[in-house]
Amino acid sequence: MELSDLQDIRRQKADTLRDRGLNPYSPRSKRTHTTAEAIARFDGIESGAGDQPTEDQEPITVAGRVVSFRDMGKTLFSHIRDGYGDLQLYVRLNDVGEQAHADFSTLVDLGDFVEATGTLFRTRTGEISLRVQTFSLLTKALNAPPEKRKGLRDREIRYRQRYADLI
């Protein structure tokens, strides 16, 4: 079976992780909160704080599939989705270090499952985000997710590849 160029690139990234001694298909995750629980927790803390902008000081760990990714130089924004909702990850070079920042920007793709630990805060645009201190790749996706806006149009593929339709 012939691999597409995208599958070959993603497989090379998985091999790069293996060469470093990291497992691209981690058997365990230690999630402490779902995305919905994390947002509800922060809303509860923020509502009791008055007019001061707050940041939750207790670190939490969330896990989910990467559904968006924006590189702003020293800061990376990414949204993860689990079965309960979406949460934005805020990955800053000063917070995670150069190696982890480079790993997140080069080795993590759309569709990968990641686990991130950090504190919650509200960005200038008003979105609740996780200021990432550490992260790990749980599962490397070898196939790209379907096109975001159009989805799967072919009815045959939707029925045969139900997992792709549900993404």
Coordinates of all heavy atoms in Angstrom, one line a residue, residues 4-45:
S4 N 0.5 8.3 1.3 CA 0.5 9.6 0.7 C 1.6 10.4 1.3 O 2.3 10.0 2.3 CB -0.8 10.3 1.0 OG -0.9 10.6 2.4
D5 N 1.9 11.6 0.7 CA 3.0 12.4 1.2 C 2.7 12.9 2.7 O 3.6 12.9 3.5 CB 3.2 13.6 0.3 CG 3.7 13.3 -1.0 OD1 4.3 12.2 -1.2 OD2 3.5 14.1 -2.0
L6 N 1.5 13.2 3.0 CA 1.1 13.7 4.3 C 1.3 12.5 5.3 O 1.9 12.7 6.4 CB -0.3 14.2 4.3 CG -0.8 14.7 5.7 CD1 0.0 15.9 6.1 CD2 -2.2 15.1 5.6
Q7 N 0.9 11.3 5.0 CA 1.1 10.2 5.9 C 2.5 9.9 6.1 O 3.0 9.6 7.2 CB 0.4 9.0 5.3 CG -1.1 9.0 5.4 CD -1.7 7.8 4.7 OE1 -1.2 7.3 3.7 NE2 -2.9 7.4 5.2
D8 N 3.3 10.0 5.1 CA 4.8 9.8 5.2 C 5.4 10.8 6.1 O 6.2 10.5 6.9 CB 5.4 9.9 3.8 CG 6.8 9.3 3.8 OD1 7.1 8.3 4.5 OD2 7.7 9.9 3.1
I9 N 5.0 12.1 6.0 CA 5.6 13.1 6.9 C 5.2 12.9 8.3 O 6.0 13.0 9.2 CB 5.1 14.5 6.4 CG1 5.7 14.9 5.1 CG2 5.3 15.6 7.4 CD1 5.1 16.1 4.4
R10 N 3.9 12.5 8.5 CA 3.5 12.3 9.9 C 4.2 11.0 10.5 O 4.5 11.0 11.7 CB 2.0 12.1 9.9 CG 1.3 13.4 9.7 CD -0.2 13.3 9.8 NE -0.8 14.6 9.7 CZ -1.8 15.0 10.4 NH1 -2.3 14.2 11.3 NH2 -2.4 16.2 10.3
R11 N 4.4 10.0 9.7 CA 5.1 8.8 10.1 C 6.6 9.2 10.5 O 7.1 8.7 11.5 CB 5.1 7.7 9.1 CG 5.4 6.4 9.6 CD 5.0 5.3 8.6 NE 3.6 5.3 8.6 CZ 2.9 4.2 8.5 NH1 3.5 3.0 8.4 NH2 1.6 4.2 8.5
Q12 N 7.2 10.1 9.7 CA 8.5 10.5 10.0 C 8.6 11.3 11.3 O 9.5 11.1 12.1 CB 9.1 11.4 8.9 CG 9.4 10.6 7.6 CD 9.8 11.6 6.5 OE1 9.8 12.8 6.7 NE2 10.0 11.0 5.3
K13 N 7.5 12.1 11.6 CA 7.5 12.8 12.9 C 7.3 11.8 14.1 O 8.0 11.9 15.1 CB 6.3 13.7 12.9 CG 6.5 14.9 12.0 CD 5.3 15.9 12.1 CE 5.5 17.1 11.2 NZ 4.4 18.0 11.3
A14 N 6.6 10.7 13.9 CA 6.4 9.7 14.9 C 7.8 9.0 15.1 O 8.2 8.7 16.2 CB 5.4 8.7 14.5
D15 N 8.5 8.7 14.0 CA 9.8 8.1 14.1 C 10.8 9.0 14.8 O 11.7 8.6 15.6 CB 10.4 7.7 12.7 CG 9.6 6.6 12.1 OD1 8.9 5.8 12.9 OD2 9.6 6.4 10.9
T16 N 10.7 10.3 14.6 CA 11.6 11.3 15.3 C 11.3 11.2 16.8 O 12.3 11.2 17.6 CB 11.3 12.7 14.8 OG1 11.5 12.8 13.4 CG2 12.1 13.7 15.5
L17 N 10.1 11.1 17.2 CA 9.8 11.0 18.6 C 10.3 9.7 19.2 O 10.9 9.6 20.3 CB 8.2 11.0 18.9 CG 7.6 12.3 18.6 CD1 6.1 12.2 18.6 CD2 8.0 13.3 19.7
R18 N 10.2 8.6 18.4 CA 10.8 7.3 18.9 C 12.3 7.4 19.0 O 12.9 6.8 20.0 CB 10.4 6.2 17.9 CG 9.0 5.7 18.0 CD 8.8 4.4 17.2 NE 7.4 4.1 17.1 CZ 6.6 4.5 16.1 NH1 7.2 5.1 15.0 NH2 5.4 4.2 16.1
D19 N 13.0 8.1 18.1 CA 14.4 8.2 18.2 C 14.9 9.0 19.4 O 16.0 8.8 19.9 CB 14.9 8.9 16.9 CG 14.8 8.1 15.7 OD1 14.6 6.9 15.8 OD2 14.9 8.7 14.6
R20 N 14.0 9.9 19.9 CA 14.3 10.6 21.1 C 14.0 9.8 22.4 O 14.2 10.3 23.5 CB 13.5 11.9 21.2 CG 14.0 12.9 20.2 CD 13.0 14.0 20.2 NE 13.5 15.2 19.9 CZ 12.7 16.3 20.0 NH1 11.5 16.3 20.4 NH2 13.2 17.5 19.6
G21 N 13.4 8.7 22.2 CA 13.0 7.9 23.4 C 11.6 8.1 23.9 O 11.3 7.7 25.0
L22 N 10.8 8.8 23.1 CA 9.4 9.1 23.5 C 8.5 8.2 22.7 O 8.7 7.9 21.6 CB 9.1 10.6 23.2 CG 10.0 11.6 23.9 CD1 9.7 13.0 23.4 CD2 9.8 11.6 25.4
N23 N 7.4 7.8 23.4 CA 6.5 6.9 22.7 C 5.4 7.8 22.1 O 4.7 8.5 22.8 CB 5.8 6.0 23.8 CG 4.9 5.0 23.2 OD1 4.7 5.0 22.0 ND2 4.3 4.2 24.0
P24 N 5.2 7.7 20.8 CA 4.2 8.6 20.1 C 2.8 8.0 20.3 O 1.8 8.7 19.9 CB 4.6 8.5 18.6 CG 5.4 7.3 18.5 CD 6.0 7.1 19.8
Y25 N 2.7 6.9 21.0 CA 1.3 6.3 21.3 C 1.3 5.9 22.8 O 1.4 4.7 23.1 CB 1.1 5.1 20.4 CG 1.1 5.5 18.9 CD1 2.2 5.2 18.2 CD2 0.1 6.2 18.4 CE1 2.3 5.7 16.8 CE2 0.1 6.7 17.1 CZ 1.3 6.4 16.3 OH 1.3 6.8 15.0
S26 N 1.2 6.9 23.6 CA 1.3 6.7 25.1 C 0.2 5.8 25.6 O -1.0 6.0 25.2 CB 1.3 8.0 25.8 OG 1.3 7.9 27.1
P27 N 0.4 4.9 26.4 CA -0.6 4.0 26.9 C -1.5 4.6 28.0 O -2.6 4.1 28.3 CB 0.1 2.8 27.5 CG 1.5 3.3 27.9 CD 1.8 4.4 26.9
R28 N -1.0 5.7 28.6 CA -1.8 6.3 29.8 C -1.8 7.8 29.7 O -1.0 8.5 29.1 CB -1.1 6.0 31.1 CG -1.0 4.5 31.4 CD -1.0 4.3 32.8 NE -0.7 2.9 33.3 CZ -1.1 1.8 32.8 NH1 -1.8 1.8 31.7 NH2 -0.9 0.6 33.3
S29 N -2.9 8.3 30.3 CA -3.0 9.8 30.5 C -3.5 10.0 31.9 O -4.3 9.3 32.4 CB -4.1 10.3 29.4 OG -4.3 11.7 29.7
K30 N -3.1 11.1 32.5 CA -3.5 11.5 33.8 C -4.3 12.7 33.8 O -3.9 13.7 34.5 CB -2.2 11.6 34.7 CG -1.5 10.3 34.8 CD -0.3 10.5 35.7 CE 0.5 9.2 35.8 NZ 1.8 9.2 35.2
R31 N -5.4 12.8 33.1 CA -6.2 13.9 33.0 C -6.9 14.1 34.4 O -7.5 13.2 35.0 CB -7.3 13.7 31.9 CG -8.3 14.8 31.8 CD -9.2 14.6 30.7 NE -10.1 13.6 31.0 CZ -11.2 13.3 30.2 NH1 -11.3 13.9 29.0 NH2 -12.0 12.3 30.5
T32 N -6.9 15.4 34.9 CA -7.6 15.7 36.1 C -9.0 16.3 35.9 O -9.8 16.2 36.7 CB -6.8 16.7 37.0 OG1 -6.6 17.9 36.2 CG2 -5.4 16.1 37.4
H33 N -9.2 17.0 34.8 CA -10.4 17.7 34.4 C -10.7 17.5 33.0 O -9.8 17.5 32.1 CB -10.3 19.2 34.7 CG -10.1 19.6 36.1 ND1 -8.9 19.4 36.8 CD2 -11.0 20.1 37.0 CE1 -9.1 19.9 38.0 NE2 -10.3 20.2 38.2
T34 N -12.0 17.5 32.7 CA -12.4 17.6 31.3 C -12.4 19.0 30.9 O -12.3 19.9 31.8 CB -13.8 17.0 31.1 OG1 -14.8 17.8 31.8 CG2 -13.9 15.5 31.5
T35 N -12.6 19.3 29.6 CA -12.6 20.7 29.2 C -13.8 21.5 29.8 O -13.6 22.6 30.3 CB -12.6 20.9 27.7 OG1 -13.7 20.2 27.2 CG2 -11.3 20.3 27.1
A36 N -14.9 20.9 29.9 CA -16.1 21.5 30.5 C -15.9 21.7 32.0 O -16.3 22.8 32.5 CB -17.3 20.7 30.2
E37 N -15.3 20.8 32.7 CA -15.1 20.9 34.1 C -14.1 22.1 34.4 O -14.2 22.8 35.3 CB -14.5 19.6 34.7 CG -15.5 18.5 34.8 CD -14.9 17.2 35.2 OE1 -13.7 17.1 35.2 OE2 -15.7 16.3 35.5
A38 N -13.0 22.2 33.5 CA -12.0 23.2 33.7 C -12.7 24.6 33.5 O -12.4 25.5 34.2 CB -10.9 23.0 32.7
I39 N -13.5 24.7 32.4 CA -14.1 26.0 32.2 C -15.1 26.4 33.3 O -15.1 27.5 33.8 CB -14.8 26.0 30.8 CG1 -13.7 26.0 29.7 CG2 -15.7 27.2 30.6 CD1 -14.3 25.7 28.3
A40 N -15.9 25.4 33.8 CA -16.8 25.7 34.9 C -16.0 26.0 36.2 O -16.5 26.9 36.9 CB -17.7 24.4 35.1
R41 N -14.9 25.4 36.4 CA -14.1 25.7 37.6 C -13.6 27.1 37.5 O -13.7 27.9 38.5 CB -12.9 24.7 37.7 CG -11.9 25.0 38.7 CD -10.7 24.1 38.5 NE -9.6 24.6 39.3 CZ -9.4 24.4 40.6 NH1 -10.3 23.7 41.3 NH2 -8.4 24.9 41.2
F42 N -13.1 27.5 36.4 CA -12.6 28.9 36.2 C -13.7 29.9 36.3 O -13.5 31.0 37.0 CB -11.8 29.1 34.9 CG -11.2 30.4 34.8 CD1 -10.0 30.6 35.5 CD2 -11.7 31.4 34.0 CE1 -9.4 31.9 35.4 CE2 -11.1 32.6 33.9 CZ -9.9 32.9 34.6
D43 N -14.9 29.6 35.8 CA -16.0 30.6 35.9 C -16.4 30.7 37.3 O -16.7 31.8 37.8 CB -17.2 30.1 35.1 CG -17.0 30.4 33.6 OD1 -16.2 31.3 33.2 OD2 -17.7 29.7 32.8
G44 N -16.3 29.7 38.1 CA -16.6 29.7 39.6 C -15.6 30.6 40.3 O -16.0 31.4 41.2
I45 N -14.4 30.4 40.0 CA -13.3 31.2 40.7 C -13.4 32.7 40.3 O -13.3 33.6 41.1 CB -11.9 30.6 40.3 CG1 -11.7 29.3 41.0 CG2 -10.8 31.6 40.7 CD1 -10.5 28.5 40.5

